[in-house]
Amino acid sequence: MTCFLEYQENSVAVHDLLYQKQGDRWSFSASSYQKLRLNKNWLCDRLSEIGLQVLQNEMINGMVCIIAKKLY
């Protein structure tokens, strides 16, 4: 499997290329989908506005990790 990203202003196009061996033959399939690019601080502000408490907002291994809980 190969995956590559195509960065755009407000989104990222994710492309997956998959080779599968079926018996003695190989088959190929490709797919792609769009993912939104959101600023993590903007997202935390929106979470707070709707009544969630942001407990964690950090980068872990290149990925944004946000943990929030509902306030009672």
Side-chain angles (χ1 to χ4, degrees):
M1 178 174 195
T2 300
C3 177
F4 66 92
L5 307 176
E6 185 178 6
Y7 289 92
Q8 299 159 355
E9 185 177 343
N10 295 315
S11 64
V12 177
V14 180
H15 301 273
D16 294 325
L17 308 175
L18 179 64
Y19 290 91
Q20 285 183 291
K21 189 168 185 178
Q22 299 170 332
D24 62 347
R25 300 183 67 192
W26 286 92
S27 67
F28 170 77
S29 62
S31 63
S32 66
Y33 54 94
Q34 295 289 120
K35 295 187 83 163
L36 287 176
R37 293 179 71 183
L38 300 175
N39 178 284
K40 67 180 188 142
N41 294 322
W42 177 88
L43 183 57
C44 288
D45 290 344
R46 301 299 77 75
L47 292 170
S48 295
E49 285 177 5
I50 63 170
L52 297 173
Q53 177 185 10
V54 176
L55 303 174
Q56 184 175 348
N57 173 10
E58 63 181 300
M59 294 287 287
I60 300 175
N61 296 324
M63 293 184 292
V64 174
C65 178
I66 297 173
I67 298 174
K69 75 174 186 176
K70 185 175 181 175
L71 296 173
Y72 294 100

